[in-house]
Amino acid sequence: MKQQKKIIPFLLAAVALLILPVLLQGLGNAWVRIADMALLYVLLALGLNIVVGYAGLLDLGYVAFFAIGAYMYGLLASPHLAEAFPAIAAMFPDGLHAPIWIVIPAAAAIAGVFGVLLGAPTLRLRGDYLAIVTLGFGEIIRVFLNNLDHPVNITNGPKGLNQIDSLSFFGLNLGKSVNIGGFELASVSLYYYLFLALVVFSVVICHRLELSRVGRAWMAIREDEIAAKAMGINTRNLKLLAFGMGATFGGVSGAMFASFQGFISPESFSLMESVMIVAMVVLGGIGHLPGVILGAVLLSALPEVLRYVAGPLQSMTDGRLDASILRQLLIALAMIGVMLSRPRGLWPSPDHGKSLQNPKT
């Protein structure tokens, strides 16, 4: 009976998530796009939670892996390479349009390799020093993407990549609407279900990792690296594994973002994006999957919802306050209020060691 009571909330949540895009379509596709982006940020936050939440490694350059995955998809699923390189144009006259089965694994693998490359020189760094190095790595990737348009045009520089193919598999093109039983399911709704499936799959992976020997070793490193090393844990390999696995999530998220937007540029991968992803993990509850998901949904959807609050406030001041700046101010005030009232996050993990405390005799 108790197990049935536990299953009921999950079933209700599943039904709500499945019908959500259908309900939001009635209000306009813009609301479905907000839900799509919220799921993408959940995927990013889950990947960063492996690095920050499980292993305790502060990574402020996580957006670099997001950018690597996006540009990998953009280069393999757009006509840019064929236009820039005559040799590729000769082999692929219609342009280079790689299928999803090649692009997604390639984005995940290359992002994972870059994650290991970032982790290798930072193995002896901790705290603020590690944060500074990872922050620099994120900025280096953005600068490279912004300047690799000469002498050989690889990334098209600040102009970005356009005409990126939408995802297509088993004859279903997610860039086009689908008519099911007289009801038209928009492209943004199709992407919603794809992103939802990826999030569910990622949550299962993260949950199994948390309960595994690797997950427990990561948490031992997070709590006390010296004690973990003294107990025989290979901290070097486990740190590299955390960086690589977290980066893989970022690469897949970037590929999804590129296919969803159809256009990418270096401006989409600024330092502010990394800070926001870290804030999602911290605000929700470091190392706790439900909290990380809650933080990602709130911080990704809140700016869009506050558009409807900033507009009237701007009109009340006769336009003296810029709506976008006012919106950021409201977000900052909300985050400060939450962290003051709940310093461990909105939905923190249970306190360690409570079950081991002996009752007073």
Side-chain angles (χ1 to χ4, degrees), residues 228-297:
K229 187 178 291 186
M231 294 300 294
I233 294 175
N234 191 330
T235 56
R236 181 195 63 185
N237 290 353
L238 284 167
K239 281 184 176 182
L240 292 178
L241 180 62
F243 273 113
M245 289 206 66
T248 300
F249 280 71
V252 174
S253 303
M256 295 296 105
F257 175 76
S259 67
F260 179 62
Q261 292 287 95
F263 169 79
I264 51 174
S265 69
E267 293 180 358
S268 301
F269 312 105
S270 63
L271 173 62
M272 190 60 189
E273 289 295 318
S274 272
V275 173
M276 285 296 291
I277 301 168
V278 174
M280 291 171 184
V281 176
V282 175
L283 186 71
I286 296 178
H288 194 219
L289 289 178
V292 170
I293 294 171
L294 177 63
V297 171

Side-chain angles (χ1 to χ4, degrees), residues 71-78 81 96-99 102-103 106-107 161 165:
Y71 268 85
M72 174 54 60
Y73 184 90
L75 290 172
L76 294 182
S78 74
L81 288 179
L96 188 63
H97 302 280
I102 295 177
V103 176
L161 301 177
D165 298 340

Side-chain angles (χ1 to χ4, degrees), residues 91-157:
M91 291 186 292
F92 303 95
D94 297 330
L96 188 63
H97 302 280
I100 183 176
W101 318 114
I102 295 177
V103 176
I104 303 302
I110 291 179
V113 169
F114 272 92
V116 174
L117 292 177
L118 168 64
T122 62
L123 291 175
R124 296 188 179 184
L125 300 178
R126 301 178 190 171
D128 300 338
Y129 301 101
L130 177 61
I132 291 171
V133 171
T134 54
L135 186 152
F137 176 78
E139 285 299 289
I140 287 170
I141 294 297
R142 186 185 63 82
V143 170
F144 265 99
L145 295 176
N146 210 25
N147 290 278
L148 281 179
D149 56 344
H150 63 278
V152 179
N153 188 2
I154 298 176
T155 64
N156 209 28

Side-chain angles (χ1 to χ4, degrees), residues 6 10 19 25 30 32 39 53 64 66 82 104 111 115 147 161 166 169 177 192 204 259 331 346 358:
K6 290 181 180 179
F10 287 101
I19 66 173
Q25 262 190 220
V32 188
L39 289 174
F66 187 44
I104 303 302
N147 290 278
L161 301 177
S166 56
F169 53 93
S177 301
Y192 171 90
V204 173
S259 67
I331 295 170
L346 289 171
N358 294 323

Side-chain angles (χ1 to χ4, degrees), residues 9 29 65 138-140 153 187-188 201 212-213 245 250 273 311 341 353:
N29 287 341
F65 311 118
E139 285 299 289
I140 287 170
N153 188 2
S187 170
V188 286
F201 182 65
S212 67
R213 293 178 60 187
M245 289 206 66
E273 289 295 318
S341 60

